[in-house]
């Protein structure tokens, strides 16, 4: 299964990616352990492999080892770790990663902002999620969807509907993710008229 070709960082990383896609964590770890050199890409792949297989403790351990080897994380690293914290509702480590993101000056990255909002929303930090959202200086559908979804997940239906309306006033059109969240919000509340409007929107677009 393993050969001298694994000493080639490009081939080794390709093997890592293959095992990640098949969810074969042990094989991926064996390839990673045999790499004579590990760059940011190989670290991101092995961290993503564990994250995608709900192995949160190992994800955090790998991140610590990566930092110890003086490899600077990037948006892919942080998104994998934040997804792990979201899944395990690990607010403490989520906050720690948030601080690391700020230190790395990547807190304005749209995908990281979205992942932070999701993490705080799932970990009971709704006020922090709201703060991050409203401090964002640009309008982006992904981030609006994250905040609307967080509101719905936490039972803040009125806020979700208001945000949906504000999003459209800002000139941002909804997508499937937006509409699914808004429909769910309407089914949880008395916003039947909004639900009817969403239905009309679906009939008039390709979302159906």
């Amino acid at each position: 299964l393993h050969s001298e070709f694994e000493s080639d960082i490009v081939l080794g990383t390709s093997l890592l990616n293959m095992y990640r896609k098949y969810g074969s964590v042990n094989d991926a770890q064996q390839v990673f352990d045999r790499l004579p050199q590990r760059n940011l890409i190989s670290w991101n792949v092995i961290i993503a492999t564990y994250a995608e297989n709900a192995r949160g403790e190992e994800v955090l351990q790998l991140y610590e080892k990566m930092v110890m080897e003086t490899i600077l994380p990037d948006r892919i690293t942080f998104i994998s770790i934040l997804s792990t914290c979201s899944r395990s509702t690990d607010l403490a480590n989520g906050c720690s990663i948030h601080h690391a993101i700020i230190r790395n000056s990547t807190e304005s990255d749209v995908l990281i902002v979205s992942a932070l909002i999701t993490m705080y929303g799932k970990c009971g930090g709704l006020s922090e999620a709201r703060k991050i959202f409203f401090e964002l200086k640009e309008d982006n559908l992904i981030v609006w969807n994250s905040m609307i979804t967080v509101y719905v997940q936490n039972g803040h239906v009125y806020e979700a509907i208001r945000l949906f309306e504000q999003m459209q006033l800002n000139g941002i059109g909804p997508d499937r993710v937006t509409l699914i969240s808004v429909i769910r919000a309407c089914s949880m509340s008395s916003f039947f008229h909004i639900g009817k409007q969403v239905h009309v929107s679906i009939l008039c677009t390709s979302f159906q």
Side-chain angles (χ1 to χ4, degrees):
L1 196 61
H2 304 286
S3 74
E4 60 182 310
F5 291 113
E6 287 179 342
S7 63
D8 184 307
I9 185 67
V10 176
L11 286 174
T13 303
S14 295
L15 280 170
L16 276 176
N17 258 316
M18 180 190 74
Y19 287 127
R20 178 184 68 81
K21 290 177 181 178
Y22 282 100
S24 185
V25 177
N26 292 336
D27 286 318
Q29 184 64 60
Q30 288 180 42
V31 171
F32 183 77
D33 289 340
R34 289 169 181 254
L35 291 175
Q37 294 181 338
R38 299 163 182 171
N39 59 16
L40 176 60
I41 296 173
S42 57
W43 275 102
N44 279 343
V45 174
I46 193 65
I47 287 172
T49 301
Y50 279 95
E52 290 165 6
N53 287 275
R55 302 273 290 271
E57 186 175 342
E58 289 95 331
V59 168
L60 294 168
Q61 290 172 353
L62 282 166
Y63 171 70
E64 290 175 359
K65 290 179 182 178
M66 173 182 160
V67 172
M68 288 177 63
E69 291 191 14
T70 67
I71 303 292
L72 291 177
D74 65 359
R75 87 153 41 156
I76 296 172
T77 323
F78 288 132
I79 288 171
S80 289
I81 300 171
L82 288 172
S83 70
T84 294
C85 294
S86 296
R87 188 180 295 111
S88 59
T89 62
D90 186 349
L91 182 58
N93 278 311
C95 289
S96 177
I97 295 301
H98 188 182
H99 294 318
I101 288 168
I102 293 171
R103 289 195 300 273
N104 281 268
S105 301
T106 49
E107 71 270 24
S108 60
D109 182 286
V110 167
L111 293 180
I112 287 181
V113 169
S114 177
L116 281 168
I117 290 171
T118 299
M119 184 276 293
Y120 279 115
K122 289 190 175 181
C123 295
L126 183 59
S127 62
E128 188 63 33
R130 189 185 289 113
K131 178 183 176 184
I132 292 169
F133 174 79
F134 285 110
E135 285 180 351
L136 188 67
K137 296 299 187 291
E138 65 177 281
D139 284 330
N140 182 278
L141 178 60
I142 295 172
V143 176
W144 283 80
N145 280 346
S146 297
M147 194 67 236
I148 289 171
T149 300
V150 162
Y151 273 138
V152 175
Q153 289 173 342
N154 285 271
H156 291 255
V157 177
Y158 179 82
E159 289 89 342
I161 298 297
R162 294 285 80 84
L163 204 60
F164 171 63
E165 293 174 338
Q166 185 61 51
M167 183 184 86
Q168 294 175 96
L169 289 174
N170 284 24
I172 305 174
D175 65 359
R176 286 176 61 91
V177 175
T178 324
L179 297 177
I180 288 170
S181 291
V182 174
I183 290 169
R184 184 182 171 197
C186 292
S187 69
M188 295 165 61
S189 65
S190 58
F191 288 94
F192 179 70
H193 64 290
I194 300 292
K196 292 286 287 183
Q197 291 173 20
V198 171
H199 188 190
V200 170
S201 177
I202 292 171
L203 292 175
C204 294
T205 65
S206 59
F207 293 123
Q208 63 201 63

